[in-house]
Amino acid sequence: MKNHLAPLLVKAMAHLPLGLLRSIGNAIGSVVWWMNGRSAKVTRTNIALCFPELNPAEQIALSKQSLQDTAKTAMEAGAVWRNSWAWLDSKIIAKEGDELLRAKLADGKGVLVLAPHHGNWEVVAPYLASVANLTAMYQPLENPKMDELVLAGRSKLNITMAPTNRKGVMMLLKALQGGTIVGILPDQVPAKDAGGEVAPFMGQPALTMTLVQGLIQRTGCAVCSCYAERVPGGFKMVVMEADAAIYSEDQHTSVSGLNASVEACVRRAPAQYQWEYKRFRRLPAEYPRVYQAK
């Protein structure tokens, strides 16, 4: 029963106006904050670590706002998945750096786009696909009905979803070699067997994927960052140059450049980053444990 209920709810919510979805998300985020569960505790921990310059009251205010924004992203997702590109394009009311993305594509070497969990990341893929063919990795969901809905929503336009395995990596390489766009969520903690290196993020050690560095070195592609900032009435697409260190042949230097690229996005709208994610987990034993045991 629950496998069918979630998709039905998402489909129903997709018909609501964007403003109403955001209001609902704001209320849900406030409830999550008030309940003080795992999400609220992890958010407070992350913000205390990453923004030591803020006083306690400012950290609390940012934590609450972050949970509200994360809930807004969840509420908006169904509308992004279910509605047409014409509808979503009408909600993109500003673009910053669009010419940068197009200029990099014109070089013909392919563009690897870092799309962190910042703003509404579900908006990024359709935007990129409106510029050129996009290939992005996809991890199937446990709920088969929800997985079907999400995959359909993320596979429209010129989007090809690649599995999170060796075959998927080969698809990314082929896409870059073909001069198109590859989208990567760069701030996910890699699995123990997936290749990772500890590098600083927001002043903290973080296990970080090495996949991006491998793709750059094997293809010579260009790299930029992209996120959809939530603004009144819709979204502002922001494309930014990646940190120059990301192109380094030295793995640690490149991975540090990846994190610096994500940080540059985050600092422009800190409340819209998904701070409830345990970004500083799976660190080697010599690093202090950040999160409390369940």
Side-chain angles (χ1 to χ4, degrees):
M1 178 65 179
K2 64 179 181 180
N3 284 350
H4 292 78
L5 184 59
L8 289 175
L9 183 60
V10 170
K11 291 177 181 178
M13 298 287 280
H15 296 290
L16 299 179
L18 188 63
L20 178 56
L21 291 171
R22 290 181 174 181
S23 295
I24 295 171
N26 194 68
I28 292 173
S30 298
V31 171
V32 171
W33 171 258
W34 176 78
M35 291 178 65
N36 195 32
R38 187 205 68 86
S39 295
K41 291 174 181 176
V42 172
T43 297
R44 286 200 305 273
T45 297
N46 284 338
I47 287 177
L49 287 170
C50 297
F51 295 95
E53 70 276 15
L54 299 182
N55 63 45
E58 291 171 331
Q59 290 180 357
I60 288 173
L62 180 57
S63 297
K64 181 178 180 180
Q65 188 179 350
S66 173
L67 288 170
Q68 291 170 331
D69 267 284
T70 295
K72 289 175 187 176
T73 296
M75 290 299 100
E76 294 166 346
V80 175
W81 295 330
R82 300 286 292 174
N83 285 305
S84 67
W85 165 245
W87 175 87
L88 182 57
D89 191 35
S90 72
K91 304 302 180 184
I92 298 176
I93 60 179
K95 296 177 182 178
E96 176 186 334
D98 181 76
E99 69 286 350
L100 173 65
L101 174 63
R102 294 177 187 273
K104 288 183 180 295
L105 268 172
D107 288 340
K109 295 182 179 180
V111 181
L112 196 161
V113 177
L114 308 175
H117 291 84
H118 187 50
N120 190 326
W121 53 90
E122 296 291 351
V123 177
V124 174
Y127 159 69
L128 295 175
S130 75
V131 178
N133 289 339
L134 169 69
T135 303
M137 280 191 155
Y138 177 73
Q139 178 68 48
L141 304 178
E142 292 183 4
N143 181 335
K145 291 295 182 181
M146 194 66 191
D147 182 69
E148 182 180 333
L149 186 152
V150 174
L151 188 58
R154 290 179 176 173
S155 300
K156 56 189 177 183
L157 299 174
N158 302 312
I159 304 174
T160 299
M161 303 307 298
T164 53
N165 53 29
R166 181 175 176 79
K167 178 183 177 181
V169 173
M170 296 307 296
M171 290 173 66
L172 301 186
L173 284 168
K174 184 177 180 180
L176 290 173
Q177 291 165 348
T180 59
I181 302 176
V182 161
I184 294 283
L185 293 168
D187 49 353
Q188 292 179 311
V189 179
K192 292 181 179 180
D193 59 347
E197 179 155 338
V198 178
F201 173 64
M202 301 292 292
Q204 302 298 317
L207 186 62
T208 307
M209 66 171 62
T210 57
L211 171 63
V212 168
Q213 198 251 359
L215 292 172
I216 296 169
Q217 294 303 311
R218 292 182 67 176
T219 66
C221 65
V223 189
C224 60
S225 304
C226 182
Y227 67 94
E229 182 178 349
R230 190 173 293 105
V231 296
F235 303 96
K236 176 184 177 181
M237 297 306 310
V238 180
V239 179
M240 299 171 60
E241 281 279 12
D243 189 281
I246 202 169
Y247 295 102
S248 174
E249 293 182 3
D250 177 74
Q251 182 170 279
H252 182 76
T253 301
S254 177
V255 168
S256 297
L258 185 156
N259 281 345
S261 302
V262 175
E263 182 173 338
C265 296
V266 172
R267 288 196 178 278
R268 294 191 50 172
Q272 294 196 27
Y273 190 61
Q274 191 183 20
W275 292 109
E276 66 177 56
Y277 181 63
K278 291 184 176 181
R279 183 65 185 86
F280 307 113
R281 63 192 173 114
R282 293 182 185 156
L283 288 167
E286 61 266 28
Y287 293 93
R289 190 168 183 172
V290 171
Y291 307 109
Q292 296 180 356
K294 294 181 180 180

